[in-house]
Amino acid sequence: MSHEKCSLMPGDTENLRTRSAVDTSENAVDPEQQHWVPRRQCQTDRLCVGPHHPELGGAESTSPDASAHNFYTPKCFLTVYRGHGTSPSTLSRYGEEGWHEGTTKTTIRAENEVEAHREANNYKFGFRKWKGNVTEKPIEDRSDIIKALYSDLSVVKPLEGSVITFGNIIYVLLFGWWISLIYCLICPVMFLTICGAPYGKLCLKMAWYFIWPFGKSIEKAGEMAKRAIVKPLKCEVIPEERDSEVIKNLVGDKESSPLLMSSPIPVEIPVPEPATTTSKHWCRISTYVWLLLGYPILAVVHSLACVLSWLLVFTIPVAKMNARTMTIVLLMAPEDVQIHRIEKTSVCESRNILCCYKAFNVYYYKYTVQGINIFALNLLPLVFITVIMGYTDRKHKFCSAETKFATAITSIIPLSYYIGMGIASISAQSNFAVGAVVNATFGSITEMTFYITALLQGHNAGTKCYEEIVKAALTGTLLGCILFVPGICMIIGGIKHREQRFNSRSAGVSSALLFISVGGIFAPTLFSKTFGNLVCGSCTNIPGNGSVPFICKDCHYETSPADPQLILPHIEPLVYTIAVLLPAAYLIGLIFTLKTHSHIYDIHISDGHGGHAHGGHHVVHWSRARALGVLIVATILMACCADLTTENIEPMLTHSSISVYFISVTVLAMVPELPEIVNGIQFALQNNISLSLEVGSCIAVQVCMIQIPLLILFNAFYDVGFVLVFSDIHLWASIFSVILVNYIFMDGKCDYFQGTALVVVYLILLALYFFAPSPRSC
């Protein structure tokens, strides 16, 4: 049995501090799910990193959602010592490289088995990296700030601070004045009906309320008296001397009771509920006058305010306030509606019908409905509007082609989110084989639907322009994932955490696959430039100048099969060979990282108490059947939006002064990847830069090793004229980008300066595409 000697030599303190930050990206977790505390170091085989290391300050940062958890897990690195008789004190001789080689296990926390699968899949090569949870976290386990997001505005809390805030003033300018004005206009109408006068008074009260509802509460008459005789929620009860005998009887005699009481014990006095009587306001004529003349107009007004404030996301409290008013307050008896101002002296919580303190909350970007992020949910109606208008208005009577193109390309963003969420849900609830099949099948479906519809559109139109658009979009996705995604993540993460470290071995696997990918997809291009024939057109002769007899404006390598001397018959077998070799290399990479050398990504899932994650009680947002249904529907809608995008892009190609190359490498290439970019940025903010870099690397590798071979396979069965020969601008931009990013990834650490370098190079290449002339076929 080994004995643990938990002490550090003075000379090893700095070495441990340096080593502790090497793989912080592998060990940093979602701050909504984890806190770290130090555990004493064991001399035998374990180095535990806690918050006393200054380099891990970013990993300690927590979101408001994490404050409710009281369990802690340290970052533990299992160290493998080389040779015999190696002591921990000799670790300093190996430096950072030895630390990388010795790091074999990463500890992350998962609340249940499903979340454990999701976390582990994030570290597996070839799987989509996903940030959001696939199970529902109990609301009682969340912080007060997050609980407030899901509150129905029925809780009256003690008033803290001033209600005069910037967001509340914006509410008055955007909503308050015109809602109050509508109430003022309906008020005289109700008074004119005579019998509806009580509702006229209600309109006056509600007009005064909605012009500034903050710090006020709406409650039902009689509720105040009922709460006065019942102990309020969360009220401190201070026992007096005359209550000592009662408390003594409750807690037991002196010998068995504690010497010190952590808090006074409140005494619940049962109060009989008053007899309830059925409301008679539904039997009055005034009620039906109100439902005929006043309520319909106000229902429309509140519905409009509810929709507008919901779409703005950060003003969702305004939406909840209007919804409760429309469904509860305006259907009550007018004499029962009481409006009171909340005093700052109030120290108790209670429940009312409606109470709002703030109209604006910045944390609503985290708001979800059935696991669906609020932004993706709000963009879903745009998808259906796009599909309906796109296929019913073929002659552009109501919407121009440019508008349809913009809405169709925007609709791809939420559909990409739903496809990613469906993949994550199925993978987290299935074994590795099913998860790998789902990722391989649907992981590239967003891009493939666009590429195939574009090639079909070009084939039907008899033009090679759409083929050039597809090649430019493929190159744009490759450049964006190699340069922009890691670059922007390094910048944002580096500003917060100064310097971030990542596993250089896992990054090396992705880098090697990138080299193979770029070498494979551009091999036919190099072949054509080596053995192809240069054909020039639009040549003019300059008389009197023998040194320069001709000036040609249209020179290109011809690969037409009409001339047997040209090389297209030789390129096609090369393309098919590459279409077999690239997926084989991808499969070998999967076997290497997930089977034979899985220790590179060896993840230890902890339940937060030092043990392994177990099943526990959890509610899955999407079941496997529901996730599969969402995937199928989202794929069909994605195909429709991609078809509408290619159908309505023609005006931009013919009338726009911007190069087709630039439109393809920016809009068409990067818009479908926006959900992945957001995930990468979130990982970087949580000091998990390894996953941020893997986001871009996985997409780039899938483009080269899965998407392009699938396009070649599709062209083999349905000839649309797709030839894997790229323009020179695509060739040299891609090669330069891969060399640069591999140089950046060599040392296993990054900062915002290196990220700036990648982003600047990406912008330079975009400028190159912006000023480049459009392809000849366009």
Side-chain angles (χ1 to χ4, degrees):
M1 179 179 293
S2 61
H3 299 279
E4 293 186 355
K5 182 179 179 181
C6 297
S7 61
L8 283 177
M9 298 298 291
D12 294 334
T13 304
E14 185 62 31
N15 292 329
L16 176 59
R17 182 179 293 112
T18 302
R19 295 167 191 155
S20 66
V22 172
D23 280 342
T24 54
S25 63
E26 296 290 321
N27 295 270
V29 297
D30 190 344
E32 297 181 11
Q33 299 178 350
Q34 179 101 21
H35 295 263
W36 305 109
V37 295
R39 183 185 295 172
R40 290 184 294 178
Q41 179 188 346
C42 303
Q43 185 180 4
T44 54
D45 63 347
R46 191 176 292 267
L47 296 175
C48 296
V49 180
H52 54 279
H53 294 284
E55 294 88 344
L56 296 183
E60 299 167 21
S61 60
T62 58
S63 71
D65 206 10
S67 62
H69 298 284
N70 295 319
F71 40 80
Y72 303 87
T73 302
K75 296 179 179 178
C76 295
F77 302 90
L78 296 181
T79 307
V80 178
Y81 305 124
R82 297 177 178 178
H84 299 283
T86 306
S87 63
S89 61
T90 62
L91 287 176
S92 59
R93 302 176 185 174
Y94 296 112
E96 293 181 359
E97 182 178 358
W99 178 255
H100 276 296
E101 294 293 329
T103 302
T104 60
K105 193 175 287 290
T106 297
T107 302
I108 53 179
R109 193 189 72 79
E111 298 174 351
N112 51 65
E113 186 179 358
V114 177
E115 292 298 333
H117 277 291
R118 182 188 63 83
E119 290 285 355
N121 288 341
N122 273 345
Y123 287 87
K124 292 178 181 177
F125 174 77
F127 278 68
R128 281 202 169 201
K129 316 306 174 189
W130 195 248
K131 174 65 179 60
N133 293 341
V134 295
T135 59
E136 184 177 358
K137 184 182 295 184
I139 190 65
E140 59 270 12
D141 292 341
R142 302 191 177 188
S143 66
D144 291 337
I145 295 179
I146 301 301
K147 288 178 182 177
L149 301 182
Y150 298 92
S151 172
D152 58 359
L153 303 184
S154 62
V155 177
V156 181
K157 295 183 178 180
L159 183 59
E160 299 177 357
S162 176
V163 293
I164 302 177
T165 62
F166 177 77
N168 291 350
I169 295 174
I170 294 297
Y171 159 82
V172 177
L173 299 177
L174 294 180
F175 301 99
W177 69 270
W178 58 272
I179 296 177
S180 180
L181 178 62
I182 299 298
Y183 273 103
C184 292
L185 294 177
I186 295 178
C187 175
V189 176
M190 299 309 300
F191 275 111
L192 289 176
T193 61
I194 300 177
C195 63
Y199 286 97
K201 297 178 181 179
L202 175 63
C203 290
L204 284 177
K205 291 192 292 184
M206 297 302 294
W208 179 251
Y209 174 80
F210 271 99
I211 196 65
W212 188 264
F214 313 108
K216 303 175 184 176
S217 67
I218 299 179
E219 56 190 33
K220 188 175 182 180
E223 291 295 325
M224 282 293 294
K226 186 185 300 184
R227 280 196 298 272
I229 58 177
V230 180
K231 182 183 72 66
L233 298 175
K234 294 186 180 181
C235 289
E236 184 178 2
V237 179
I238 303 177
E240 299 180 0
E241 293 184 1
R242 64 176 180 268
D243 298 328
S244 60
E245 292 296 329
V246 178
I247 296 176
K248 183 178 180 180
N249 293 332
L250 289 174
V251 301
D253 56 18
K254 186 175 181 180
E255 288 75 9
S256 61
S257 61
L259 295 177
L260 295 177
M261 297 177 61
S262 60
S263 60
I265 299 178
V267 180
E268 295 282 353
I269 302 177
V271 178
E273 289 290 335
T276 58
T277 57
T278 305
S279 178
K280 297 182 179 180
H281 82 280
W282 291 106
C283 301
R284 304 172 187 169
I285 298 178
S286 60
T287 301
Y288 295 95
V289 172
W290 165 252
L291 293 177
L292 182 64
L293 300 179
Y295 182 80
I297 300 175
L298 292 173
V300 173
V301 169
H302 286 296
S303 299
L304 178 61
C306 188
V307 171
L308 293 177
S309 55
W310 183 274
L311 292 177
L312 294 176
V313 177
F314 300 106
T315 56
I316 286 181
V318 179
K320 294 181 178 181
M321 181 171 58
N322 282 272
R324 287 188 70 84
T325 301
M326 179 176 58
T327 57
I328 298 178
V329 177
L330 297 184
L331 297 178
M332 293 170 53
E335 65 273 9
D336 288 343
V337 179
Q338 300 293 329
I339 301 176
H340 298 280
R341 184 176 298 276
I342 301 173
E343 303 294 337
K344 289 188 177 181
T345 57
S346 175
V347 295
C348 299
E349 283 191 9
S350 59
R351 283 192 172 272
N352 279 338
I353 297 175
L354 182 59
C355 178
C356 184
Y357 292 103
K358 294 181 180 180
F360 188 91
N361 192 334
V362 295
Y363 291 104
Y364 267 103
Y365 72 90
K366 295 183 176 183
Y367 194 76
T368 60
V369 178
Q370 292 294 315
I372 304 172
N373 185 269
I374 182 64
F375 292 101
L377 186 66
N378 285 349
L379 286 175
L380 187 58
L382 179 65
V383 176
F384 296 104
I385 294 175
T386 298
V387 173
I388 294 173
M389 291 296 298
Y391 287 107
T392 57
D393 185 25
R394 291 285 188 177
K395 297 182 179 180
H396 310 300
K397 294 182 179 179
F398 302 100
C399 293
S400 63
E402 291 82 359
T403 302
K404 292 180 181 179
F405 172 81
T407 56
I409 200 69
T410 306
S411 299
I412 293 178
I413 299 175
L415 292 176
S416 300
Y417 173 89
Y418 289 110
I419 290 175
M421 187 71 178
I423 292 174
S425 299
I426 294 178
S427 300
Q429 301 175 69
S430 307
N431 55 31
F432 167 72
V434 175
V437 171
V438 172
N439 273 270
T441 305
F442 292 95
S444 301
I445 199 70
T446 302
E447 297 85 356
M448 289 302 301
T449 51
F450 169 75
Y451 298 149
I452 291 177
T453 52
L455 291 175
L456 290 174
Q457 184 78 17
H459 177 69
N460 295 332
T463 176
K464 301 289 287 184
C465 181
Y466 289 89
E467 181 185 353
E468 293 298 325
I469 291 175
V470 170
K471 293 177 181 178
L474 286 167
T475 308
T477 304
L478 188 63
L479 296 178
C481 294
I482 292 177
L483 298 176
F484 179 75
V485 174
I488 196 67
C489 292
M490 288 181 184
I491 292 175
I492 297 177
I495 292 175
K496 182 177 181 181
H497 303 290
R498 188 169 182 175
E499 185 176 82
Q500 295 179 294
R501 309 250 178 168
F502 55 89
N503 191 334
S504 60
R505 293 197 64 186
S506 62
V509 175
S510 300
S511 299
L513 288 174
L514 279 177
F515 269 118
I516 297 173
S517 303
V518 172
I521 63 172
F522 288 107
T525 304
L526 294 174
F527 185 87
S528 66
K529 305 215 176 293
T530 303
F531 301 103
N533 289 337
L534 183 65
V535 179
C536 294
S538 303
C539 298
T540 57
N541 187 10
I542 300 179
N545 190 349
S547 61
V548 185
F550 294 98
I551 296 179
C552 300
K553 299 181 180 179
D554 186 9
C555 295
H556 59 279
Y557 286 94
E558 181 64 55
T559 58
S560 173
D563 191 342
Q565 300 297 325
L566 299 184
I567 59 167
L568 186 58
H570 299 282
I571 289 182
E572 286 183 347
L574 175 62
V575 169
Y576 293 139
T577 303
I578 291 171
V580 174
L581 292 178
L582 288 180
Y586 184 81
L587 181 61
I588 293 172
L590 289 178
I591 296 174
F592 177 82
T593 56
L594 302 179
K595 187 68 176 177
T596 63
H597 289 68
S598 59
H599 61 273
I600 298 177
Y601 300 92
D602 198 2
I603 307 300
H604 173 69
I605 305 294
S606 171
D607 62 354
H609 300 278
H612 292 281
H614 52 81
H617 177 70
H618 59 271
V619 178
V620 181
H621 289 302
W622 295 0
S623 63
R624 278 176 290 192
R626 180 180 179 184
L628 181 61
V630 170
L631 280 177
I632 295 174
V633 173
T635 302
I636 295 174
L637 293 175
M638 180 70 72
C640 295
C641 291
D643 179 58
L644 293 173
T645 301
T646 56
E647 182 180 323
N648 295 282
I649 198 177
E650 185 178 359
M652 300 186 65
L653 303 179
T654 56
H655 303 296
S656 176
S657 59
I658 303 176
S659 174
V660 173
Y661 281 140
F662 181 78
I663 297 175
S664 301
V665 299
T666 54
V667 178
L668 301 181
M670 296 308 295
V671 166
E673 311 301 337
L674 283 180
E676 307 292 338
I677 296 174
V678 172
N679 289 340
I681 292 174
Q682 289 180 334
F683 288 131
L685 287 173
Q686 295 157 10
N687 206 16
N688 200 347
I689 195 65
S690 275
L691 284 184
S692 298
L693 302 182
E694 287 293 331
V695 166
S697 297
C698 283
I699 297 175
V701 171
Q702 284 186 357
V703 167
C704 298
M705 293 189 166
I706 294 180
Q707 295 177 14
I708 290 180
L710 285 177
L711 289 177
I712 296 172
L713 181 64
F714 174 77
N715 186 79
F717 286 96
Y718 189 86
D719 189 5
V720 292
F722 179 74
V723 181
L724 197 65
V725 177
F726 291 82
S727 302
D728 288 356
I729 187 173
H730 303 324
L731 171 66
W732 302 120
S734 301
I735 292 177
F736 175 73
S737 300
V738 172
I739 294 174
L740 174 64
V741 78
N742 278 275
Y743 174 77
I744 294 291
F745 289 171
M746 285 177 60
D747 56 356
K749 58 184 179 180
C750 62
D751 48 46
Y752 73 89
F753 177 75
Q754 292 177 329
T756 302
L758 294 178
V759 173
V760 169
V761 171
Y762 178 72
L763 295 178
I764 291 174
L765 293 177
L766 289 188
L768 182 65
Y769 281 105
F770 182 81
F771 294 105
S774 296
R776 294 178 298 103
S777 55
C778 296

